[in-house]
């Protein structure tokens, strides 16, 4: 039977709900027994059957009001109780199920990670634990008793407060937890194991003391401080900026090695991929540190936006995810560099999210149709969702936005809400009409703004003509006009920013409201033809088309007040250079960079002290995958050739500058403050060019050997591989020998190997799958080796003989049965065949067809393959 889709329009309130659930776990890695006692209430008086979600369990018994119950039917996905005879609208159900955590490689439900046992329930993992109304609009109070071997599992954790515990005579012990806040099943969590614990406290602004506990594998305490500090920083920030305070007396975070995604916001008991917890200067790069801080913050912020106010149904996922990403972005921007954060977020959106819009998986931030919910934890729902919140924030301003948040939470606290509830609260609190704006929730795809300008010397009038269009996407042919906030500024050619009058009135805000298919905005008086800065700070998630010439872009790069605009103007310059050279390459002509462009880069470098963080970002050449998104049809080999050429040309042209500044910004002592991070990353950027000059081998080897932190070590190692330097093999061997017992650190090594520009890197990757540090069941290892190869090494994965595709398909066939969720992540590059030439397309489709025919194809893969081959 083919998996069936669910539609947003079909949402119905449940016929029954569950108010209380008492869970008892008799934990054993091989076989765990779960007794679930629930208090069920009939909401719809007409209802005669109760359908509970659950996998085809080995299950022992069902009792209704303490009496064995036999009037049921079981299939692969559910248990349906026949209740015609029952004339009660409230009853107790007891269900006993048997699980095998040790054999659960899907890493959903209850599973084993290392020696520990843990759970992952979002989106629909609870149904792998017991039969349940496993939907987010059923909110219950949970009490959980865990019984286990004390030696093996000294720590037994679940949500809420620890209310009771005791010893049993056979070496077993038990702990009972109670969560006072009703919650949906996806927020349930349980952990059992032996850990080192880092303890701390946080005093909330109303003076309550919260115990903070961070659980890590034994021996890892020296990597836990940063995560704890990040948690406290997040708690404080949420009080200050959003006036939101933590609500339980205890907050626990557990780090595990086997985890399908980044982390999970289970009420009071977050479970994290150890990648987003563990850090010390020897093992983690500056970016790792920032990622940890961001993810810790994100999960913490979910306590209000996600847990206290949750989602009515999974189509509303962006309600909690878009909003929480917006909040974590604001946290990082308030506590670090707003410009750097904005640039990095925009990069992600433009490359990964725009690519998703152009793929078979295109969907609106609030999808209409879903087969496997896990397939919709996407950059669209998360990052574009956050952009939609950001646009509301731009339209309302901070004060009204916060008023909207207050109203949203007051109205929806303790309930399961919808995106509409959020927008409506924002609208009512601000008095600003968001009727047309709401279309961002239902329309998929990347809108395109085509702008032209004209200047009238007689009337001193400057006009911007703006046209919007959203091209059709695979999921939705017809598109409507959106409400697009377009942030603008006008500069004169000497770089002075103009005071603006729009259509005869002072233009106080800098946001134009684009709402129609075509619109003209008139500014006057404007005394000289200006250079427009358009879509400043990426005020909307759209593509911009304006006929800039290089001179105008260089003006913006030099003079724009806003750092984002300066960065963005260089991105456009780079895009022009890339396009031009790719054409040269395809016509077998000589490649060249314009001297104006090179001079502009030199100017930037010479003035790096004006803004060192921004200079680093501007001078960091976009990755191949970023460049690829500039084209409808991607030429993987051409992009590599041209990008290499750009790197080498810039390197040799500015070699003396890079060398001087490289030497000038070396520091011996390692610190982790913003300034030191900025300096390190500038220094490593300089090295990234020098690596491609005749000094490369000497400098990179020295950099590696002198490094006293992972940021520098890794910069050198990856440059040695990228520039194919003579020191490469020695450094790789040294790193391997040092870190072979540390999977997290080895992931960096695997990723560097997988993205090598060498001829037969596929052969190497195949060999590395046998490496003692590799583990096929660990998602981090898979992402590092297989994910990097298929997603980041474009020429190697897209080898014209199809070997890259065959490699991936073979792996997906294995993963289809062991971990379908990861399979569905890794398949992404393959379903995007439409972006490649016809020869590659044919080969990619052949791979997908081979997969489609696999027996017992998971819903996760089925959904994506179906869409791709449609
Ligand atoms: N809510 C989780 C993601 C769950 C993914 C399920 N496949 C983490 C987060 O977004 O914070
Ligand atoms: Zn989240």
């Amino acid at each position: 039977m083919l998996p069936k889709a669910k539609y947003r329009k079909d949402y119905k309130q449940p016929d029954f709900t569950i108010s209380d659930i008492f869970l008892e776990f008799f934990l054993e890695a091989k076989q765990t027994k779960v007794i679930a006692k629930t208090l069920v209430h009939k909401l719809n008086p007409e209802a005669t059957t109760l359908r509970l979600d659950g996998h085809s369990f080995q299950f022992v018994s069902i009792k209704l009001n303490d009496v064995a119950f036999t009037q049921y039917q079981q299939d692969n996905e559910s248990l349906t109780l026949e209740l015609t005879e029952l004339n009660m609208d409230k009853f107790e159900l007891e269900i006993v199920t048997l699980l095998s955590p040790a054999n659960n490689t899907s890493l959903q439900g209850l599973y084993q990670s290392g020696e520990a046992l843990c759970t992952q329930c979002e989106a629909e993992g609870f149904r792998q634990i017991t039969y349940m109304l496993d939907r987010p609009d059923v909110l219950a109070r949970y009490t959980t008793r865990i019984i286990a071997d004390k030696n093996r599992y000294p720590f037994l954790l679940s949500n809420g407060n620890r209310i009771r515990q005791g010893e049993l005579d056979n070496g077993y012990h038990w702990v009972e937890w109670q969560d006072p806040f009703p919650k949906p099943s996806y927020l349930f969590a349980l952990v059992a194991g032996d850990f080192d614990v880092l303890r701390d406290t946080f005093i909330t602004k109303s003076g309550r003391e919260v115990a903070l506990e961070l659980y890590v594998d034994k021996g890892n305490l020296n990597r836990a401080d940063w995560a704890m500090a990040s948690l406290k920083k997040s708690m404080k920030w949420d009080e200050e900026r959003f006036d939101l305070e933590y609500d339980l007396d205890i907050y626990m975070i557990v780090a595990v090695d086997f985890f399908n995604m980044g982390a999970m916001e289970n009420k009071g008991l977050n479970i994290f991929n150890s990648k987003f917890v563990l850090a010390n200067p020897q093992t983690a790069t500056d970016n790792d540190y920032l990622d940890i801080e961001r993810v810790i913050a994100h999960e913490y912020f979910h306590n209000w936006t996600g847990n206290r106010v949750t989602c009515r149904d999974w189509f509303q996922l962006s309600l909690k995810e878009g909003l929480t990403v917006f909040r974590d972005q604001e946290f990082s921007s308030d506590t670090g560099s707003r410009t750097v954060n904005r640039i990095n977020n925009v990069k992600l959106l433009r490359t990964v999210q725009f690519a998703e819009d152009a793929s078979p998986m295109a969907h609106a931030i609030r999808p209409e149709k879903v087969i496997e919910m896990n397939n919709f934890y996407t950059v669209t729902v998360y990052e574009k969702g956050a952009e939609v919140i950001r646009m509301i924030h731009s339209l309302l301003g901070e004060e009204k936005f916060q008023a909207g948040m207050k109203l949203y939470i007051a109205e929806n606290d303790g309930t399961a809400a919808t995106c509409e509830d959020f927008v409506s609260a924002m609208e009512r609190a601000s008095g600003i009409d968001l009727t047309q704006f709401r279309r961002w929730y239902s329309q998929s795809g990347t809108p395109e703004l085509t702008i032209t300008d004209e200047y009238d010397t007689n009337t001193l009038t400057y006009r911007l003509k703006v046209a919007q269009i959203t091209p059709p996407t695979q999921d939705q042919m017809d598109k409507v006009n959106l409400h697009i906030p377009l942030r603008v500024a006008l500069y004169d050619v000497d770089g002075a920013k103009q005071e603006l009058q729009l259509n005869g009135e002072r233009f106080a805000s800098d946001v134009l409201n684009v709402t129609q298919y075509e619109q003209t905005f008139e500014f006057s008086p404007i005394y000289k033809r200006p250079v427009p800065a358009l879509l400043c700070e990426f005020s909307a998630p759209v593509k911009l088309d304006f006929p800039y010439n290089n001179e105008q872009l260089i003006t913006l790069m030099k003079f724009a007040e806003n750092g984002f605009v300066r960065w963005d103007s260089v991105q456009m310059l780079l895009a022009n250079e890339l396009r031009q050279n790719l054409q040269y390459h395809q016509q077998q002509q000589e490649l060249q960079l314009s001297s104006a462009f090179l001079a502009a880069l030199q100017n930037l470098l010479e003035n790096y002290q004006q803004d060192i963080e921004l200079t680093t970002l501007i001078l960091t050449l976009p990755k191949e995958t970023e460049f690829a998104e500039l084209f409808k049809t991607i030429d993987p080999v051409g992009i590599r050739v041209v990008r290499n050429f750009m790197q080498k040309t810039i390197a040799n042209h500015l070699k003396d500058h890079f060398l001087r500044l490289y030497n000038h910004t070396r520091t011996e002592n390692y610190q982790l403050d913003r300034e030191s991070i900025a300096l390190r990353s500038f220094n490593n950027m300089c090295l990234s060019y020098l690596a491609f000059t005749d000094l490369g081998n000497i400098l990179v080897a020295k950099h590696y050997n002198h490094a006293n932190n992972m940021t520098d070590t890794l910069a050198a190692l990856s440059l040695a591989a990228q520039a194919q330097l003579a020191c490469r093999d020695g450094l790789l061997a040294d790193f391997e020998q040092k870190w072979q017992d540390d999977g997290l650190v080895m992931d960096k090594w695997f990723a560097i190997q997988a993205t090598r520009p060498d001829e037969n890197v596929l052969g190497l990757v195949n060999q590395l799958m046998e490496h003692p540090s590799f583990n096929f069941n660990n998602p981090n290892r898979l992402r590092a080796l297989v994910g990097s190869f298929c997603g980041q090494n474009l020429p190697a994965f897209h080898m014209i003989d199809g070997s890259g595709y065959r490699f991936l398909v073979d792996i997906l066939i294995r993963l289809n049965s062991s971990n379908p969720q990861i399979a569905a992540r890794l398949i992404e590059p393959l379903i995007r065949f439409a972006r490649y030439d016809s020869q590659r397309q044919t080969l990619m489709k052949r791979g997908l067809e081979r997969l489609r025919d696999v027996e017992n194809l998971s819903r996760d893969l089925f959904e994506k393959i179906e869409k791709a081959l449609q």
Side-chain angles (χ1 to χ4, degrees):
M1 204 179 64
L2 293 179
K4 267 238 242 359
K6 279 191 184 153
Y7 293 83
R8 180 171 73 90
K9 62 174 169 39
D10 293 342
Y11 173 81
K12 279 221 306 277
Q13 278 180 293
D15 284 344
F16 295 84
T17 195
I18 288 172
S19 60
D20 295 85
I21 176 160
F22 178 70
L23 293 167
E24 217 171 353
F25 286 84
F26 297 84
L27 279 184
E28 233 38 277
K30 292 250 163 60
Q31 191 179 68
T32 287
K33 182 167 90 176
V34 185
I35 306 179
K37 289 188 188 133
T38 51
L39 190 58
V40 186
H41 303 256
K42 194 197 272 194
L43 299 177
N44 172 6
E46 312 290 304
T48 53
T49 57
L50 168 60
R51 183 183 178 279
L52 298 172
D53 306 293
H55 281 235
S56 37
F57 287 114
Q58 227 193 317
F59 82 96
V60 183
S61 63
I62 308 178
K63 284 184 192 161
L64 197 149
N65 289 337
D66 260 340
V67 181
F69 187 82
T70 51
Q71 298 288 92
Y72 64 81
Q73 275 184 347
Q74 196 187 11
D75 67 22
N76 281 342
E77 298 182 337
S78 62
L79 179 79
T80 305
L81 310 189
E82 185 52 64
L83 300 175
T84 334
E85 314 276 276
L86 188 84
N87 40 26
M88 265 180 261
D89 36 15
K90 191 167 127 189
F91 53 93
E92 203 188 279
L93 216 55
E94 184 192 293
I95 300 183
V96 182
T97 49
L98 295 176
L99 320 174
S100 180
N103 295 319
N104 180 357
T105 53
S106 73
L107 313 188
Q108 307 181 67
L110 178 67
Y111 66 91
Q112 181 163 9
S113 169
E115 293 303 306
L117 298 177
C118 65
T119 55
Q120 170 55 36
C121 293
E122 190 177 0
E124 298 177 331
F126 194 86
R127 63 186 66 183
Q128 298 195 32
I129 294 175
T130 185
Y131 284 110
M132 178 65 178
L133 288 170
D134 190 15
R135 46 188 286 169
D137 59 350
V138 170
L139 277 62
R141 271 178 299 268
Y142 282 69
T143 306
T144 306
R145 183 187 296 159
I146 312 169
I147 301 111
D149 182 332
K150 189 169 183 178
N151 240 330
R152 223 169 233 275
Y153 306 111
F155 293 97
L156 303 175
L157 312 175
S158 191
N159 318 83
N161 302 310
R162 195 188 276 111
I163 53 168
R164 267 188 287 273
Q165 55 195 334
E167 307 276 326
L168 301 170
D169 37 12
N170 50 1
Y172 279 57
H173 67 151
W174 61 274
V175 179
E176 199 169 305
W177 293 83
Q178 191 165 56
D179 183 355
F181 293 97
K183 63 168 178 286
S185 49
Y186 83 86
L187 288 173
F188 169 79
L190 174 153
V191 175
D194 194 4
F195 301 98
D196 277 342
V197 194
L198 180 64
R199 294 175 205 273
D200 208 327
T201 52
F202 180 82
I203 311 288
T204 69
K205 67 175 180 173
S206 70
R208 277 186 319 102
E209 183 175 308
V210 182
L212 308 178
E213 300 181 348
L214 185 58
Y215 293 79
V216 296
D217 274 356
K218 291 240 149 219
N220 274 338
L221 264 191
N222 65 352
R223 298 195 202 182
D225 292 335
W226 178 257
M228 181 62 89
S230 302
L231 174 60
K232 288 160 67 178
K233 193 168 161 185
S234 312
M235 295 177 88
K236 184 107 190 93
W237 180 88
D238 214 14
E239 292 185 345
E240 283 168 358
R241 173 87 186 260
F242 278 80
D243 193 23
L244 293 172
E245 198 177 317
Y246 187 60
D247 53 9
L248 281 166
D249 296 333
I250 179 167
Y251 193 91
M252 295 171 282
I253 295 178
V254 183
V256 300
D257 289 333
F258 287 71
F259 207 66
N260 279 342
M261 61 276 167
M264 180 62 211
E265 70 263 24
N266 318 301
K267 183 80 188 186
L269 175 57
N270 287 187
I271 300 180
F272 269 63
N273 186 326
S274 53
K275 174 182 166 64
F276 291 109
V277 172
L278 302 177
N280 69 28
Q282 266 54 61
T283 61
T285 64
D286 294 341
N287 281 333
D288 292 334
Y289 274 96
L290 294 175
D291 282 344
I292 290 170
E293 184 178 81
R294 173 178 59 78
V295 179
I296 296 256
H298 179 97
E299 305 312 332
Y300 174 71
F301 298 153
H302 267 314
N303 190 54
W304 278 98
T305 51
N307 301 3
R308 288 286 290 253
V309 181
T310 192
C311 300
R312 186 193 70 175
D313 55 78
W314 288 121
F315 298 99
Q316 317 292 330
L317 179 61
S318 201
L319 174 70
K320 75 175 175 81
E321 295 304 346
L323 180 54
T324 304
V325 171
F326 171 78
R327 276 153 52 67
D328 84 54
Q329 290 177 351
E330 283 301 294
F331 164 77
S332 301
S333 303
D334 282 351
T335 59
S337 159
R338 184 162 286 273
T339 308
V340 170
N341 276 291
R342 191 62 191 138
I343 290 173
N344 287 331
N345 293 335
V346 171
K347 269 195 198 181
L348 179 66
L349 206 90
R350 278 190 182 149
T351 50
V352 191
Q353 199 280 322
F354 284 7
E356 186 159 81
D357 279 339
S359 85
M361 271 297 287
H363 55 277
I365 63 167
R366 185 184 55 199
E368 301 293 344
K369 175 189 175 193
V370 165
I371 292 181
E372 171 50 57
M373 191 53 214
N374 284 324
N375 285 341
F376 288 83
Y377 288 76
T378 59
V379 269
T380 299
V381 167
Y382 277 61
E383 269 72 22
K384 186 179 178 184
E387 291 301 318
V388 170
I389 305 288
R390 185 167 295 285
M391 287 190 283
I392 296 181
H393 186 271
S394 302
L395 294 170
L396 270 60
E398 169 75 3
E399 206 173 307
K400 288 184 174 149
F401 182 86
Q402 289 298 349
M405 280 296 299
K406 278 237 145 45
L407 185 62
Y408 165 65
I409 288 180
E411 290 181 340
N412 298 289
D413 189 10
T415 73
T418 62
C419 297
E420 175 53 31
D421 295 327
F422 179 81
V423 179
S424 158
M426 285 289 157
E427 199 165 43
R428 283 175 289 124
S430 67
I432 292 174
D433 181 4
L434 297 172
T435 313
Q436 188 183 359
F437 186 85
R438 279 175 171 76
R439 295 176 176 173
W440 282 103
Y441 283 89
S442 47
Q443 181 156 293
S444 58
T446 313
E448 293 173 9
L449 283 183
T450 306
I451 306 184
T452 53
D453 66 346
E454 109 200 340
Y455 181 62
D456 186 336
T457 30
N458 294 324
T459 57
L460 302 181
T461 305
Y462 180 70
R463 288 189 196 91
L464 286 174
K465 292 191 172 170
V466 183
Q468 66 161 298
I469 185 150
T470 305
T473 46
Q474 179 161 333
D475 62 317
Q476 192 179 52
M477 286 309 288
D478 299 322
K479 304 289 182 183
V480 290
N481 291 328
L482 296 168
H483 178 179
I484 300 173
L486 174 64
R487 197 178 294 258
V488 298
L490 302 183
Y491 289 88
D492 69 24
V493 278
D494 308 319
K497 193 168 159 188
Q498 314 272 295
E499 281 289 312
L500 297 185
Q501 296 238 345
L502 174 66
N503 303 332
E505 277 167 47
R506 209 182 90 79
F507 180 42
S509 107
D510 49 3
V511 176
L512 302 173
N513 286 298
V514 176
T515 53
Q516 296 156 31
Y517 171 57
E518 276 179 335
Q519 256 166 298
T520 302
F521 300 91
E522 231 176 65
F523 301 92
S524 69
I526 298 282
Y527 297 99
K528 265 192 248 160
R529 186 184 189 100
V531 181
L534 301 167
L535 201 69
C536 302
E537 277 171 287
F538 200 60
S539 58
V542 305
K543 286 186 183 165
L544 171 70
D545 177 8
F546 180 82
Y548 280 117
N549 59 39
N550 282 4
E551 211 176 320
Q552 290 174 310
L553 291 173
I554 290 172
T555 301
L556 291 178
M557 176 200 103
K558 284 194 183 148
F559 301 114
E561 280 173 15
N562 181 286
F564 180 85
V565 173
R566 298 179 54 205
W567 171 81
D568 209 18
S569 58
V570 179
Q571 299 308 296
M572 291 188 252
L573 280 169
L574 277 164
N576 289 345
E577 295 290 340
L578 178 77
R579 283 202 190 91
Q580 181 67 62
N581 278 290
L582 196 61
Q583 237 175 39
Y584 292 153
H585 167 75
Q586 285 159 351
Q587 295 159 358
Q588 288 159 12
Q589 292 175 30
E590 204 179 320
L591 310 188
Q592 64 183 71
L593 293 183
S594 78
S595 47
F597 173 65
L598 287 169
L601 295 187
Q602 174 165 343
N603 178 284
L604 261 170
L605 198 53
E606 281 165 354
N607 295 304
Y608 82 99
Q609 267 162 328
Q610 272 179 17
D611 189 336
I612 186 165
E613 289 168 324
L614 187 63
T615 308
T616 308
L617 282 174
I618 294 181
L619 286 170
T620 302
L621 218 47
K623 295 189 288 190
E624 287 171 0
T625 45
E626 292 173 51
F627 272 148
E629 283 318 305
L630 294 169
F631 303 94
K632 230 183 141 91
T633 304
I634 299 170
D635 172 357
V637 177
I639 288 176
R640 170 154 305 167
V641 171
V642 175
R643 189 182 178 281
N644 253 334
F645 164 78
M646 291 171 102
Q647 184 122 29
K648 283 190 184 141
T649 309
I650 298 171
N652 284 308
H653 187 78
L654 300 176
K655 180 174 141 191
D656 297 343
H657 292 78
F658 281 129
L659 185 59
R660 184 169 48 80
L661 295 173
Y662 172 74
N663 287 325
H664 187 68
T665 52
R666 290 295 290 149
T667 50
E668 287 296 313
N669 78 343
Y670 172 84
Q671 271 167 338
L672 198 66
D673 51 81
R674 180 169 161 192
E675 214 178 307
S676 313
I677 293 178
L679 211 59
R680 250 193 309 280
S681 100
F682 179 80
N683 186 258
N684 283 322
M685 182 275 294
C686 292
L687 186 67
S688 77
Y689 285 98
L690 292 166
F692 289 86
T693 67
D694 53 354
L695 300 174
N697 194 50
I698 291 194
L699 290 176
V700 168
K702 209 165 117 197
H703 198 81
Y704 181 92
N705 290 320
H706 282 77
N708 60 1
N709 64 81
M710 183 52 88
T711 305
D712 288 337
T713 303
L714 202 68
L717 192 65
S718 98
L719 287 170
Q722 285 302 315
Q724 301 176 295
L725 300 174
C727 62
R728 177 192 62 197
D729 294 345
L731 302 189
L732 281 169
D734 177 78
F735 191 97
E736 175 189 17
Q737 192 261 323
K738 234 184 232 146
W739 296 111
Q740 54 195 339
D741 297 328
D742 191 316
L744 276 187
V745 180
M746 283 301 280
D747 284 342
K748 303 175 190 304
W749 186 86
F750 283 126
I752 286 176
Q753 298 276 29
T755 50
R756 279 165 66 153
D758 310 22
E759 280 292 305
N760 186 16
V761 61
L762 177 58
L764 176 65
V765 170
N766 264 317
Q767 267 175 31
L768 291 177
M769 306 255 319
E770 308 298 323
H771 192 282
S773 313
F774 187 79
N775 176 343
F776 193 83
N777 287 329
N778 186 301
N780 289 352
R781 295 310 90 79
L782 276 173
R783 279 185 284 255
L785 189 60
V786 180
S788 306
F789 174 77
C790 302
Q792 305 296 318
N793 199 340
L794 297 184
F797 175 63
H798 292 283
M799 278 286 283
I800 203 71
D801 62 1
S803 53
Y805 310 143
R806 283 194 298 276
F807 164 77
L808 178 57
V809 171
D810 289 342
I811 287 181
L812 294 178
I813 292 174
R814 275 174 80 184
L815 278 175
N816 176 58
S817 40
S818 67
N819 189 336
Q821 205 178 323
I822 296 297
R825 291 268 162 185
L826 293 179
I827 198 180
E828 278 294 330
L830 197 60
I831 63 172
R832 299 181 180 186
F833 54 78
R835 303 289 298 279
Y836 293 87
D837 56 79
S838 59
Q839 201 180 343
R840 289 190 170 90
Q841 282 198 23
T842 311
L843 293 165
M844 292 168 93
K845 279 193 237 171
R846 205 173 290 157
L848 287 172
E849 284 157 3
R850 177 152 74 95
L851 254 179
R852 186 183 50 190
D853 296 339
V854 161
E855 227 177 292
N856 292 324
L857 190 63
S858 62
R859 299 147 64 94
D860 314 56
L861 282 179
F862 171 82
E863 180 166 42
K864 293 196 173 182
I865 297 172
E866 273 298 299
K867 282 188 175 171
L869 292 177
Q870 217 168 62

